[in-house]
Amino acid sequence: MSITQTDLTRIKTFVFDVDGVLTDGLLYAFADGEQVRAFNIKDGFAIKHAIRQGYNVAIISGKNEPGVRVRLESLDIEDIFLGIDDKVDVFEDYIYMQGIHPATVAYMGDDMPDLEVMQRCGLRACPADAADDIKAISTFVSTRDGGRGAVRELIEKIMKAQDAW
């Protein structure tokens, strides 16, 4: 699939997975049980910029780690859904409660837990290193890997198409 100008200009909401999208998918597990991930600063800048420009940003992730929540809150993200088993239910509830049409949502995921919810969005996006099944349904495949600027690339592309960057 290829991305069109219409795909870019109708987006008003960004939804992201965490592991493999906002991070590189590596998980550092320490003896005390703490699990640490690395986030890309440029992705963070783009998220904050999108929020300041009036875009909705939400996170839906299967993992629930306190450090991840702290990082996401530091980016001014208010709609954070962690520890989610059924991403579709959370997504459907979120767009209903916010009055968001699914065609105006860009969702970036990287693996099979994201597939079903991605199919409900106007723009399906993934990092360059996403699972093949996810790449196959994506409208936009980033040139960058997860945690390496894929989120920034997507946000910047959409906002530039809307003269908002």
Side-chain angles (χ1 to χ4, degrees):
M1 294 182 206
S2 63
I3 195 166
T4 68
Q5 188 67 16
T6 302
D7 292 330
L8 298 173
T9 57
R10 69 180 171 202
I11 300 304
K12 301 295 176 205
T13 299
F14 296 98
V15 180
F16 300 106
D17 178 33
V18 174
D19 293 320
V21 173
L22 286 167
T23 75
D24 61 8
L26 295 176
L27 181 66
Y28 299 94
F30 294 99
D32 66 0
E34 184 178 10
Q35 297 180 357
V36 179
R37 295 159 178 82
F39 290 82
N40 186 293
I41 273 306
K42 291 178 182 172
D43 288 344
F45 170 81
I47 288 170
K48 283 187 89 156
H49 184 58
I51 291 169
R52 282 193 300 265
Q53 295 299 316
Y55 292 84
N56 302 308
V57 175
I59 304 297
I60 304 175
S61 178
K63 297 283 187 184
N64 187 8
E65 296 292 331
V68 170
R69 182 173 295 281
V70 169
R71 172 61 181 153
L72 298 173
E73 288 174 348
S74 78
L75 298 175
D76 300 327
I77 301 170
E78 294 179 4
D79 300 311
I80 303 170
F81 307 98
L82 303 178
I84 303 304
D85 290 325
D86 189 341
K87 291 185 177 189
V88 172
D89 279 350
V90 169
F91 174 77
E92 295 289 342
D93 287 347
Y94 170 70
I95 63 171
Y96 175 77
M97 296 301 291
Q98 299 293 326
I100 297 168
H101 192 282
T104 67
V105 176
Y107 185 105
M108 182 175 269
D110 72 306
D111 212 341
M112 297 310 290
D114 301 305
L115 186 116
E116 194 175 344
V117 69
M118 287 176 72
Q119 292 173 325
R120 289 169 160 71
C121 298
L123 195 153
R124 297 171 304 279
C126 69
D129 61 343
D132 289 339
D133 289 338
I134 298 301
K135 285 182 185 178
I137 66 156
S138 291
T139 315
F140 174 77
V141 178
S142 176
T143 62
R144 299 179 179 273
D145 288 347
R148 301 282 186 242
V151 167
R152 164 78 179 251
E153 184 180 16
L154 174 66
I155 291 173
E156 190 172 331
K157 186 173 193 69
I158 288 169
M159 290 181 69
K160 282 183 175 179
Q162 298 178 17
D163 295 322
W165 183 257

